[in-house]
Amino acid sequence: MLKQCEGSHAVAATVALCRPEVICAYPISPQTHIVEGLSEMVRDGTLQGCEFINVESEFAAMSVAIGASATGARSYTATASQGLLFMAEAVWNASGLGLPIVMTLANRAIGAPINIWNDHTDAMSMRDAGWLQLFAENNQEAADLHIQAFRLAEEISLPIMVCMDGFILTHAYEQVDIPTQEQVDAYLPPYEPRQVLDPREPVSIGAMVGPEAFTEVRYLAHARQMQALDLIPQLATEFRQQFGRDSGGLIRTYCTDDAVTIVVALGSVLGTIKDTVDDLREAGHKIGVLGITSFRPFPTNAIRHATRNAHRVVVVEKCFAVGVGGIVSRDVRTAMRDRPQRLYGVVAGLGGRAITKSSLHGLLLKAMDDELEQLTFLDLDWNAVNRELERERQTRRSGPIAENLLRDLGVVAAGAV
Amino acid sequence: MTASIVKFYQTGTHTVGNRLLDPSQRSVQADMRRTNSLNSGHRACQGCGEALGARYAIDAAMMATDNQLIAANATGCLEVFSTPYPETSWQIPWIHSLFGNTAAVATGIAAALRVKGRQDVRVVAQGGDGGTTDIGFGCLSGMFERNDDVLYICYDNEAYMNTGVQRSSATPGAARTATTPAVGTEPGNVFGQGKNLPLIAMAHEIPYVATAIVSELRDLEAKVKRAMEIRGARYIHVFVPCPLGWGTNSWDTIRIARLAKETGIFPVIEAEHGELTGVSKIRRQLPVEDYLKPQKRFAHLFAPVLNTAAIDRIQALADRNIRRFGLIDATTGMGD
Amino acid sequence: MEKPFAITLDVGSSLANKTGSWRTYRPVYVDRLPPCNHACPAGENIQGWLFHAESGDYEQAWRALVQDNPMPAVMGRVCYHPCESSCNRGNLDQSVGINAVERFLGDQAIRLGWSFDPPASDSGKQVLVVGAGPSGLSAAYHLARLGHRVTIHEAGPMAGGMMRFGIPKYRLPRAVLEAEIQRILDLGVTLRLNTKVANIEETMREGQFDAAFLAVGAHIAKRAYIPAGEAAHLLDAMQVLRGMEGEEQPLLGRRVVVYGGGNTALDVARTAKRLGATDSIIVYRRTREKMPAHDFEVEEALQEGILIKWLSTIKNMSDEGTLTVEKMALDEKGFPQPTGEVETLEADSLVLALGQDVDLSLLNDVPGLEIRDGVVQVGENMMTGRPGIFAGGDMVPSERTVTVAIGHGKKAARHIDAWLRGVVHEPAPKHDLATPERLNTWYYDDAPKQVQPTLDLIRRQSTFDEVVGGLDEGNALFEARRCLSCGNCFECDNCYGVCPDNAIVKLGPGLRFAVNYDYCKGCGICNAECPCGAIVMVPEAI
C-alpha cells in the first residue's frame, strides 16, 4: 500500500510486518523515530507477540538481542553513531556467535566534535565486525531491505546492519509502498534457529576457543559471507517476484554499459549523483553510476565485472580513514586490481555537509579530465583549514580546533575564548 | 532465615546431608540425583570456591525449576575454566557472551521465553565480582530497574582472578592484589566504601536480594529456591574464597568462608522489595584476625610489623556489620 | 541440533578432561577407633550401637551392644563409664551420655522381652564356669553363643556376685539384675547354685569339662587391726551388703561409722542411712581428691547427709562405742602422717570397708599356677599356667569393676573357644585412635547433655528406691544423636557436597562414598570438612 510517510515510520511499519519477537531500544538520533514507531505498535497491539524492551544503553540493547536471538527469538534493534560504538563489543560478539540479529543503522557521524548529522563513519567503523552491511538508496529500499535482511540473516545465521542515511532518509517524507502482512509472510518464514538455548536440548554456546580452532571459526564466518554473495541476488530476485519491485542485490548500476567514467557510491547520495550524471550525459559525457548495496560482503567480482570497460572510477564516499584516505575506494581498488584504470577517491558529505549537484558536477568534470588528486575532499574550506594550521604553527596553546573553526566561520562570536 | 531450622539430628543443619533427615529436608547437594550442573573435568584451581558455589547455586536452581533453566555467564574464571573448546562442563543450556553484558543477555533470554510462551523455563545470569560490580554494573542495574525475570548470581571472590588477581570494586581494604601491591606507606587496597552490591540491589527495591556463602550450603540453597519462587529481578551475592588469589590453602576454602561469616566480615542476609527480611546469625563470634591470618593477601598486616591500625579498621567494619544487620542476638550475645 | 563449529559445545563434554592428573595428594577413606570404644573395658562397640540408636532402631542397637556385653541394663547403671571420660564431645560441650543410653536400651530390652539369638551350632564341648558374677556370666554367655555347653558353679545361693552383694539396690534394682541373668540362662546355660568348687581339677574331671573359666571374685573382707572392746559392734562391708540380700537386714544402730575411702565405703554409709541411721559418717585417712571412690558417688552421699571426716584414722573403739580418731596431715609427698591430735566419735557400729581378698582355696594342688599378690596370674589369653583353665574378674590382676569383669568374660570366652578348637584367637588389629584434633567440630550442633532424673532426697534417705532414673525415649534418642561418630563415616554427605570437582561418588544409604580419582584434584576440602575425621590425605607417588 502506497503511503506518504517519514522514512523511519516506513521502516518501523515494515519491521513490524517481519514479526520481530524481541525489540530492544535505546534512544539516539537519528534512529529514534523507528523504535518510537515500533513501541507504539507493540503498545496498541498492532504488533503482537513481541517484547519491546527499553534498555539502559546500546551495549545492553545489542546484548538483549544476543540473549533473545540465542533463545530462538527474531530480534531487532536500531542505533546510530556513538550508539554503535558503545555497543561495539556486543556487535562483534553477535556475529561471532552467529546470531541473525537485524539492526537498522541510521548513519551518522562520529565525534568529537559531536555531530548528529549524516555520514557513513559509524557503519565503516564496524565494517570488519563480521556483520553484513546493506545500504539503502531511498526509503522504499530501506524498508524493503529489512524484509530481505531477516530472511538472509536467518538463512546464513549472521547478523545484518541495514544502513540508511540519518535525517536524509530517516526524517524524509516520501511515498513508500508498505507491503501487506501476507506478502511478507510469504517471503519470510518463521525463524528456525541453527542453535538455541533450550532445556530440551542443552548446549553450551560461546566457548573459549584457542589457537587450535580460532582461525577456522573466523574462516567459517567469512565463508558464510561469501555464500551470501550468491544468496543476496537470489533473494532480490525472489523479492521482485513477490513484491513487484527491485530492491536489494549486491550492486545497482546506472548507465554503466558504455561508460568511460563510473561513479561509485553508497546510500542516498546516489540520487544526487544520478541527477548529475544525467546532466553530464546530456552534455555528451559517457559516464555512469555504480551503487553498492551490499558493502559487506563486498561484491568484488560484481564490481570488477561492472567496471571492466571504464577508464576511470570515481568513488564518492561519506567517510574516510584518517591517516590513509578513502575506505570504500580501497575496497573498490581491490576489485579493479591488475587493470590500468584510474581510481579517484572523493570524501564528501562528512557530518551532514550537503553534497550538491553543482559541486559534484565540477568534481566529475575534473575527474573526466584526470585532473583530480588521488584523494579529494569535496568542498573543503581551505581558508579555514590553513588558518588553523597557521595558528597551530604559531601558538603552542592554540585552543580547541572545532571552536576555532566555528569562530573563523563567524558561527561563534569572536573573543569567546 | 529462610533455611528452616530442622529438628536436631546429630549434626543439625550444618552438614550437607544426614542419613537421619527426612529426604524432604536434605540439601540438593546430598541428593544422588543432583544435576552436577557444572560437571567434573572443569579446569578450576584446586579448592576453587567459585566452582563450588556455582554448582551449589545452579543445582539448587535446577531442582527448584524442575530442570527448566537457562544460564547466561559473564566472562571470567567461571566461564574460562568451564568452557574451553572442545569441552564444556555445563550440563544445562548456557551462553557466554561478554564480560559486562550478562544481565542484559539474560534479559533477552527471558524476553524470548516470554514471547514464546515458555515461562516455565527460568533464567539465571551469573558472573564474578568484576563482571558484576564493575564492568557489568550498568546492565545489571538496568535489569534490576526493569524488573526483568532474571536471577542474577554474583560469585564474589573480591578481585579479578582470571586476569591475575587485580583489584575490583569488591576488593576489601588492605588486601594485596596485583594492582594494589603490599608496598608503600599504605600497603594493599585503599580503605573506602567499596561497592556493596547487595545494598545497591536493595536500593532498586527488586523483589529479592540475598547474600550467601559457600560454607552455608543449606542457607544458599534455600535462597536460590526462594528466588525461584519469585518472578522479576532477583539478586544473590555468593561469597566464594579463591585459594589462588587470596593465598589460602586449597583445603581451607570452606573454612575461610565460615570465618568471614563468623567474624562479621561478610553479613549473610536477605531482603524483599528493599527491606531486610532475614539475617543469618553469627554462631561463634571470632575476631577478624582469625579470618585475616590464613590469607597471604593480608600477610603484610602481621609481618614484619603488626599493623594494628589496619586490623582495627577491619574489625570496626565487621563490628559495623554486626550492629547494622543484627548479626548477634542481643539477648544471648550469640547467634543461633 | 547442527551446532556451529567450536563455539557451541555438547553438554558435559569436559568429562574427557581427567583432572585427576593434577593431584599430588589423594584423599582416602579410613576408619578410626573411637575413644569410647577404646576406653571400654568390656570392649563394646559403643559408636556402633549408638549408630543404630540414633536412627531410633533400639532393638538393632541393643543387638549390636550385646555382641559384647550381655547385661546393658546393669551396665547402664553400675558402669563408671570410662567411655564418657574419653568421649571427644567432652572437648566440645559435655561428653555423650553413653551410659544413660545403654541403660535405656537395656531397660527397653527387658520391657519388650528381647532375647538373645540362639547359638548357631553346638560344638559338643563342655565348659565349666566357676562363679556367677559378672565375669562368669559374661563368659558363660559368650561361650554359649559360640556353641559350647556351659555349666556355672556358684558357691552362693544367688547369681550375680558383686553385682548383687557389692552394689546396693538403690543403684541396681534386683529385678533388672535378675532379668539380665535369666536371659543368659535362657541361652541354655546351666546354673548350679550353692555349689562351691573345692578342687577345680576334681570338678573338671568329674564333670568331664574340656575347659574351665574361674571367676570367683574377691569376697573376703580385708581387716585392719583396730583395738576394740569385746562388746564393740565391729563389722565389715561385705557382711553389711551381703546381709542386705538376706531376709533380715543388718542392725547397725543410729550412729554408724564406716572406715574406708572406696566406693564400698560409700555404699555402706548410704545403706546405713537408708536403714535409719541418723548419723552415717565415713572416716577416711586422706583428702577428697585422693579418695578412690568416684566423685559423683561422694557427691550423692553428701547430698543424702553422709558426713565424711577427711584426714582421719581410727585408733580404737571402746565397748561403749566410742571411737578415737586421730587427725592426719599430708606430708610433702602427699602421704598422710599422724599428727597426735585426737578426737572421739560415738558409734553404735563401725563398718570396715577396706577392700576384699580372693578365696583361692579351689586352686590348691593345681600344677603350674602362679599366684602373686593374692591373685592368679594369667596370660594375654586369660589362661592360667594350667592349660585349659582360664581366669578373670577380681581374682586376676586388674581394676576391680563390673565392666572389667564383663570384659574379661568376653575375652576369655573367645580364647577358650579358640583353645577348644586348637587354634589361637587373634583379635582384629585396632585402627588408629580417632583423636579430637582430627575432627571438624563446627558441624556438630550445640546440644546439651540430657540430664537423668534423680529421686528426691527424702526418699533417698529413707528407701532403697533407685536414685538415678532413666532417660525417656526422646531424651535417649537426643543423647544418642549427640555422638560425633569419631573416626567413622556416618554418611553426613559433606565430602560429597563440598568437592568442587564432583569427584566424590555417593554409593547410597549404608554404602558410604568413593573417590573418583579421574577427577579428584586433591584439594583436600573433603578431608578438612569431614566432621568425624574419616578421610586422610596420602601423598601420590609421582
Side-chain angles (χ1 to χ4, degrees), chain A residues 226-372:
Chain A
M226 293 302 102
Q227 289 164 17
L229 287 173
D230 295 331
L231 206 51
I232 289 167
Q234 285 173 30
L235 292 179
T237 306
E238 272 188 53
F239 188 87
R240 185 170 57 242
Q241 288 159 359
Q242 180 65 40
F243 298 90
R245 62 178 168 272
D246 280 323
S247 263
L250 295 171
I251 57 171
R252 189 88 40 79
T253 53
Y254 180 74
C255 303
T256 52
D257 289 351
D258 62 343
V260 174
T261 303
I262 294 178
V263 187
V264 176
L266 291 74
S268 63
V269 74
L270 283 165
T272 316
I273 293 172
K274 283 178 191 168
D275 285 351
T276 312
V277 163
D278 285 345
D279 293 349
L280 289 167
R281 281 242 162 211
E282 268 179 38
H285 298 285
K286 288 187 173 175
I287 187 165
V289 185
L290 188 157
I292 298 176
T293 308
S294 169
F295 183 64
R296 286 291 181 270
F298 191 72
T300 309
N301 290 339
I303 292 171
R304 185 173 176 79
H305 183 74
T307 57
R308 67 192 181 283
N309 295 324
H311 292 180
R312 67 185 68 78
V313 170
V314 181
V315 179
V316 177
E317 53 183 305
K318 291 185 174 181
C319 58
F320 85 109
V322 177
V324 177
I327 296 170
V328 180
S329 57
R330 293 167 69 80
D331 288 349
V332 172
R333 189 185 300 280
T334 311
M336 292 160 54
R337 68 194 180 280
D338 314 329
R339 286 187 193 153
Q341 296 161 315
R342 289 173 187 268
L343 185 139
Y344 300 105
V346 179
V347 175
L350 294 187
R353 175 164 299 179
I355 301 174
T356 61
K357 254 175 81 173
S358 71
S359 294
L360 280 173
H361 195 268
L363 175 94
L364 294 175
L365 284 175
K366 277 176 85 175
M368 287 185 287
D369 289 342
D370 287 326
E371 286 173 3
L372 272 187

Side-chain angles (χ1 to χ4, degrees), chain A residues 22-342:
Chain A
V22 174
I23 295 172
C24 8
Y26 187 79
I28 184 168
S29 297
Q31 103 5 99
T32 28
H33 291 181
I34 302 174
V35 291
E36 284 169 9
L38 285 164
S39 169
E40 194 175 325
M41 281 184 273
V42 170
R43 284 294 179 96
D44 70 13
T46 310
L47 175 51
Q48 294 197 340
C50 180
E51 290 288 324
F52 188 94
I53 301 172
N54 285 298
V55 292
E56 73 285 353
S57 72
E58 288 89 354
F59 180 62
M62 182 48 60
S63 301
V64 169
I66 287 169
S69 183
T71 314
R74 182 170 286 163
S75 306
Y76 171 84
T77 188
T79 192
S81 181
Q82 316 294 139
L84 182 68
L85 295 195
F86 197 70
M87 69 165 67
E89 195 190 8
V91 167
W92 283 75
N93 189 251
S95 63
L97 293 175
L99 300 173
I101 298 159
V102 170
M103 172 164 69
T104 307
L105 185 66
N107 294 112
R108 172 184 147 183
I110 285 175
I114 187 167
N115 174 297
I116 67 166
W117 310 105
N118 169 248
D119 69 27
H120 289 168
T121 312
D122 52 3
M124 291 304 151
S125 75
M126 289 296 134
R127 70 185 188 278
D128 301 328
W131 286 55
L132 285 79
Q133 291 183 318
L134 307 179
F135 280 79
E137 185 178 335
N138 52 49
N139 283 353
Q140 182 67 59
E141 190 169 47
D144 292 347
L145 280 179
H146 282 90
I147 305 172
Q148 296 185 35
F150 278 113
R151 170 95 182 265
L152 176 62
E154 290 166 12
E155 198 121 344
I156 60 168
S157 211
L158 280 178
I160 297 181
M161 260 177 236
V162 177
C163 303
M164 65 188 291
D165 286 315
F167 295 109
I168 298 171
L169 294 183
T170 55
H171 287 58
Y173 275 75
E174 47 184 53
Q175 208 174 48
V176 177
D177 187 354
I178 308 288
T180 64
Q181 186 67 62
E182 291 70 30
Q183 281 177 302
V184 176
D185 287 348
Y187 182 82
L188 177 63
Y191 173 35
E192 186 58 53
R194 194 172 278 274
Q195 59 178 349
V196 67
L197 293 167
D198 188 340
R200 289 179 292 214
E201 199 183 348
V203 286
S204 296
I205 299 176
M208 185 180 76
V209 177
E212 70 278 19
F214 195 80
T215 308
E216 287 71 22
V217 171
R218 301 308 293 170
Y219 179 80
L220 288 167
H222 178 65
R224 270 186 281 159
Q225 286 222 3
M226 293 302 102
Q227 289 164 17
L229 287 173
D230 295 331
L231 206 51
I232 289 167
Q234 285 173 30
L235 292 179
T237 306
E238 272 188 53
F239 188 87
R240 185 170 57 242
Q241 288 159 359
Q242 180 65 40
F243 298 90
R245 62 178 168 272
D246 280 323
S247 263
L250 295 171
I251 57 171
R252 189 88 40 79
T253 53
Y254 180 74
C255 303
T256 52
D257 289 351
D258 62 343
V260 174
T261 303
I262 294 178
V263 187
V264 176
L266 291 74
S268 63
V269 74
L270 283 165
T272 316
I273 293 172
K274 283 178 191 168
D275 285 351
T276 312
V277 163
D278 285 345
D279 293 349
L280 289 167
R281 281 242 162 211
E282 268 179 38
H285 298 285
K286 288 187 173 175
I287 187 165
V289 185
L290 188 157
I292 298 176
T293 308
S294 169
F295 183 64
R296 286 291 181 270
F298 191 72
T300 309
N301 290 339
I303 292 171
R304 185 173 176 79
H305 183 74
T307 57
R308 67 192 181 283
N309 295 324
H311 292 180
R312 67 185 68 78
V313 170
V314 181
V315 179
V316 177
E317 53 183 305
K318 291 185 174 181
C319 58
F320 85 109
V322 177
V324 177
I327 296 170
V328 180
S329 57
R330 293 167 69 80
D331 288 349
V332 172
R333 189 185 300 280
T334 311
M336 292 160 54
R337 68 194 180 280
D338 314 329
R339 286 187 193 153
Q341 296 161 315
R342 289 173 187 268

Side-chain angles (χ1 to χ4, degrees), chain C residues 1 32 106 162 193 205 222 248 367 528:
Chain C
M1 176 185 323
R32 291 177 183 277
M162 276 305 219
L193 296 171
R205 229 179 0 257
K222 287 183 180 169
E248 283 186 34

Side-chain angles (χ1 to χ4, degrees), chain C residues 117-434:
Chain C
D117 297 329
S121 60
D122 180 3
S123 70
K125 302 283 186 187
Q126 299 278 355
V127 184
L128 172 67
V129 172
V130 183
S135 198
L137 288 166
S138 167
Y141 162 79
H142 286 287
L143 287 164
R145 290 197 69 175
L146 289 164
H148 306 299
R149 298 173 189 175
V150 185
T151 306
I152 306 174
H153 287 195
E154 165 58 45
M158 284 178 279
M162 276 305 219
M163 295 185 287
R164 187 184 293 274
F165 301 114
I167 299 171
K169 293 171 188 168
Y170 60 84
R171 283 184 55 209
L172 175 58
R174 295 305 180 242
V176 170
L177 176 64
E178 275 149 21
E180 294 211 314
I181 293 171
Q182 189 56 49
R183 194 165 47 211
I184 295 170
L185 300 179
D186 290 346
L187 273 174
V189 171
T190 306
L191 172 65
R192 301 230 165 90
L193 296 171
N194 301 310
T195 308
K196 185 172 165 70
V197 174
N199 183 312
I200 183 63
E201 294 282 7
E202 216 176 277
T203 307
M204 282 183 74
R205 229 179 0 257
E206 283 168 8
Q208 294 183 315
F209 290 105
D210 301 293
F213 177 65
L214 313 181
V216 299
H219 294 279
I220 305 171
K222 287 183 180 169
R223 304 298 287 254
Y225 177 70
I226 293 174
E230 296 261 315
H233 196 211
L234 187 62
L235 309 92
D236 69 59
M238 284 297 100
Q239 282 174 284
V240 174
L241 294 173
R242 203 176 295 127
M244 291 301 298
E245 298 303 306
E247 308 221 323
E248 283 186 34
Q249 294 177 334
L251 297 170
L252 298 174
R254 288 175 54 241
R255 295 167 300 176
V256 180
V257 173
V258 183
Y259 192 27
N263 290 318
T264 307
L266 290 161
D267 288 342
V268 171
R270 294 174 70 185
T271 297
K273 190 82 189 176
R274 283 165 172 78
L275 288 173
T278 48
D279 298 340
S280 179
I281 301 166
I282 291 170
V283 175
Y284 177 56
R285 64 195 181 103
R286 296 198 287 185
T287 59
R288 178 164 179 175
E289 291 71 40
K290 301 270 181 186
M291 202 178 198
H294 290 98
D295 202 54
F296 77 90
E297 291 210 57
V298 176
E299 197 52 49
E300 283 180 9
L302 292 172
Q303 285 167 6
E304 290 166 12
I306 313 295
L307 295 175
I308 304 179
K309 297 191 81 68
W310 310 104
L311 287 168
S312 304
T313 53
I314 297 175
K315 303 292 286 181
N316 58 54
M317 186 184 192
S318 72
D319 281 351
E320 295 73 35
T322 304
L323 297 172
T324 307
V325 174
E326 181 175 4
K327 297 299 288 176
M328 308 292 279
L330 294 181
D331 63 16
E332 316 84 71
K333 290 179 179 166
F335 289 111
Q337 301 297 343
T339 59
E341 185 189 329
V342 295
E343 60 176 325
T344 56
L345 264 181
E346 296 304 319
D348 296 325
S349 55
L350 169 63
V351 184
L352 302 179
L354 302 168
Q356 292 96 246
D357 288 325
V358 183
D359 179 0
L360 293 169
S361 60
L362 81 165
L363 294 172
N364 292 342
D365 306 327
V366 176
L369 283 187
E370 188 189 347
I371 292 167
R372 207 190 306 146
D373 300 330
V375 289
V376 181
Q377 302 301 305
V378 290
E380 260 303 292
N381 59 357
M382 308 300 288
M383 192 159 76
T384 66
R386 156 49 164 106
I389 296 184
F390 297 72
D394 288 358
M395 70 182 289
V396 302
S398 71
E399 195 189 347
R400 287 178 172 175
T401 70
V402 175
T403 320
V404 168
I406 284 190
H408 282 179
K410 177 179 90 169
K411 189 176 175 190
R414 292 188 178 163
H415 285 291
I416 291 167
D417 175 65
W419 187 83
L420 287 171
R421 290 186 286 111
V423 297
V424 175
H425 171 64
E426 291 288 354
K430 291 210 185 307
H431 293 120
D432 291 343
L433 195 61

